[in-house]
Amino acid sequence: IVAALCSLAGLVHFCRHPSLTWSAAACLTGSLSGSGESIQLKPPYASCSPDLSRSTDTLDPRLLFDCHDQLIAGRSESSVFERKAGKHLSAGVTDKVQTLLLFVGYPRSCHSLVGSLLDAHPNMIVAHEYNLLSRWAQWTEEQRTDRNFVFNELFRSSKDEAQAGVRRFVPGTAKARKNPNTYFYGVPHQFQGTYHTKLSVVGDKRGGLTSIFLSKHLSKSQKDLDQAIVHHFQEISTGLKIRLKFIHVVRNPYDIIATMLLRKNNKRRPAEQSTIGRLMINAKSQRVLANRFFKLFVKPVSIVRQHFPTLDTSCERLLTNPQQSLQHLCAFLNIECSESFLADSASIVKSAPSKTRQNIKWTDTALGIIRENMDRFSFLKEYVFYD
């Protein structure tokens, strides 16, 4: 009865974690042990226990976010539960970060999934939609050169998403119950919203909007865009004294443009309810959006790829073979991927690649614009309309 009341009140969610072990007896006494130490929970958490009739292997495998403020007491800064809301990573932690990871690409192309999976890695923190580039322009010179400040901002975003955002764990489903178009990206057993032992990579997942920012805000002239992008990222790298790496998640442009068209014309829901609906979209809208896609998104991507270390990651391959894609990502970032990390991350990747392009009745003009532009970029040439 007590466990049920606690659960309904949202006071605590007990869970299993690689660095934390507990038993039924420990739950009743409100104590948890990990890394050779014991932590006592204060009321009301100490009175709450899970359903003891269930095996610990079937319990919700999330970090103890609701008990987090109690758990961090007495732990060292190298602990997986080292921080609570409102505290900052020490300079000793942020000084050892080796890579600042940024995303560049397109909307509706798996960036949220990739960022969430990487945030689950024990040596990485990847914020979700923090918008580092826009905020950089608003910060003072002192803030721009303060690694501790910048990395803690990204940490806070990562933590918030793991606690109450799209990375919170929802057992048994990858989609929100109230809104089937909202996905959750919580990875069981892993380290979203925190890290373990050391922090090597800090990043910000913001793919399509990064490309728009680069196209619209850095240079008034497209001729000067190359120089403006290079200067902007070199300023970040120099200010934080850190190397930059980019992940470019690429998806079939026909599908991306189709999704953008359907959303722009409020036809996304009918497309999902049909098989091959062949929905009519205004010919001018198709033509304008196709050209806009390559100007706003693809061009800045190509510039970043030319000047900075960038890994092209296929959305389609990630969905069909997530472990192999994650291994490539880890190798690019010079971090190790454990078998448990790969398996737990792959467990939430269940969607087959959608072919949104099949839902639209395309004009020959729009298809020609897309094909002609795709042929100009090596990272898009492999994609075709019919596969």
Side-chain angles (χ1 to χ4, degrees), residues 99-103 125-139 143-147 149-157 202-207 209-210 213-214 218 232-233 235-237 240 242-246:
T99 302
L100 177 61
L101 176 64
L102 298 174
F103 288 67
I125 287 174
V126 180
H128 180 77
E129 303 288 344
Y130 176 75
N131 199 8
L132 176 63
L133 299 189
S134 294
R135 297 186 189 222
W136 182 270
Q138 302 168 9
W139 288 338
Q143 289 172 321
R144 292 180 186 177
T145 56
D146 187 345
R147 287 165 60 107
F149 165 75
V150 174
F151 294 164
N152 271 286
E153 287 290 292
L154 297 174
F155 180 91
R156 178 174 54 81
S157 171
V202 173
D204 182 24
K205 193 291 301 181
R206 196 167 176 88
L209 290 177
T210 293
F213 174 85
L214 297 176
L218 287 189
H232 187 69
F233 286 127
E235 180 183 276
I236 294 175
S237 179
L240 298 177
I242 197 168
R243 67 184 178 194
L244 300 185
K245 287 190 176 183
F246 291 82

Side-chain angles (χ1 to χ4, degrees), residues 106 124 148 158 197 219 239 275 311 319-320 343 358 361 370:
Y106 328 96
M124 294 183 63
N148 194 258
S158 166
T197 308
S219 176
T275 52
L311 179 68
L319 295 179
T320 55
Q358 296 178 347
K361 185 173 178 60
I370 297 172

Side-chain angles (χ1 to χ4, degrees), residues 3 6 13 66 70 167 181 236 347:
C6 289
H13 296 285
D66 294 319
Q70 303 290 343
R167 292 174 183 169
N181 293 322
I236 294 175
S347 71

Side-chain angles (χ1 to χ4, degrees), residues 107 253-265 281-297 362 366 369-370:
Y254 292 110
D255 289 324
I256 301 175
I257 296 171
T259 302
M260 294 170 67
L261 282 168
L262 292 170
R263 288 179 176 273
K264 181 178 177 61
N265 290 274
I281 301 290
N282 180 274
K284 180 180 178 181
S285 182
Q286 291 189 35
R287 185 177 68 254
V288 170
L289 203 148
N291 282 313
R292 182 174 180 268
F293 171 77
F294 289 94
K295 179 180 179 180
L296 289 184
F297 298 104
W362 294 90
I369 291 172
I370 297 172

Side-chain angles (χ1 to χ4, degrees), residues 36 55 110 116 161 167 231 246 263 286 294 323 336:
S55 165
C110 298
S116 297
E161 288 298 326
R167 292 174 183 169
H231 174 77
F246 291 82
R263 288 179 176 273
Q286 291 189 35
F294 289 94
Q323 293 202 31
E336 296 182 2

Side-chain angles (χ1 to χ4, degrees), residues 120-344:
H121 191 280
N123 305 129
M124 294 183 63
I125 287 174
V126 180
H128 180 77
E129 303 288 344
Y130 176 75
N131 199 8
L132 176 63
L133 299 189
S134 294
R135 297 186 189 222
W136 182 270
Q138 302 168 9
W139 288 338
T140 64
E141 186 66 26
E142 182 180 1
Q143 289 172 321
R144 292 180 186 177
T145 56
D146 187 345
R147 287 165 60 107
N148 194 258
F149 165 75
V150 174
F151 294 164
N152 271 286
E153 287 290 292
L154 297 174
F155 180 91
R156 178 174 54 81
S157 171
S158 166
K159 185 180 176 70
D160 289 347
E161 288 298 326
Q163 287 182 293
V166 298
R167 292 174 183 169
R168 66 189 185 276
F169 185 73
V170 180
T173 180
K175 292 189 177 183
R177 293 182 178 89
K178 293 184 179 180
N179 184 356
N181 293 322
T182 300
Y183 286 83
F184 286 136
Y185 301 100
V187 179
H189 308 290
Q190 296 301 317
F191 295 81
Q192 286 171 313
T194 186
Y195 71 96
H196 182 50
T197 308
K198 68 175 181 178
L199 185 59
S200 301
V201 179
V202 173
D204 182 24
K205 193 291 301 181
R206 196 167 176 88
L209 290 177
T210 293
S211 299
I212 290 179
F213 174 85
L214 297 176
S215 296
K216 285 189 170 184
H217 300 288
L218 287 189
S219 176
K220 295 181 179 179
S221 170
Q222 286 291 310
K223 294 181 179 179
D224 300 329
L225 186 60
D226 191 305
Q227 183 178 353
I229 288 176
V230 172
H231 174 77
H232 187 69
F233 286 127
Q234 285 180 342
E235 180 183 276
I236 294 175
S237 179
T238 302
L240 298 177
K241 295 181 174 60
I242 197 168
R243 67 184 178 194
L244 300 185
K245 287 190 176 183
F246 291 82
I247 290 177
H248 166 225
V249 185
V250 59
R251 182 187 175 195
N252 192 317
Y254 292 110
D255 289 324
I256 301 175
I257 296 171
T259 302
M260 294 170 67
L261 282 168
L262 292 170
R263 288 179 176 273
K264 181 178 177 61
N265 290 274
N266 297 317
K267 292 186 177 183
R268 177 65 173 164
R269 184 62 62 110
E272 290 176 341
Q273 294 173 348
S274 64
T275 52
I276 302 180
R278 301 299 182 187
L279 295 171
M280 297 293 295
I281 301 290
N282 180 274
K284 180 180 178 181
S285 182
Q286 291 189 35
R287 185 177 68 254
V288 170
L289 203 148
N291 282 313
R292 182 174 180 268
F293 171 77
F294 289 94
K295 179 180 179 180
L296 289 184
F297 298 104
V298 181
K299 183 170 182 178
V301 166
S302 67
I303 294 173
V304 169
R305 290 176 77 257
Q306 290 174 15
H307 297 280
F308 299 95
T310 305
L311 179 68
D312 299 328
T313 299
S314 165
C315 174
E316 291 86 356
R317 293 193 186 99
L318 173 68
L319 295 179
T320 55
N321 195 342
Q323 293 202 31
Q324 184 181 71
S325 295
L326 284 169
Q327 287 175 329
H328 291 160
L329 287 163
C330 288
F332 173 68
L333 295 170
N334 296 318
I335 57 177
E336 296 182 2
C337 279
S338 68
E339 292 298 323
S340 62
F341 166 74
L342 294 173
D344 291 337

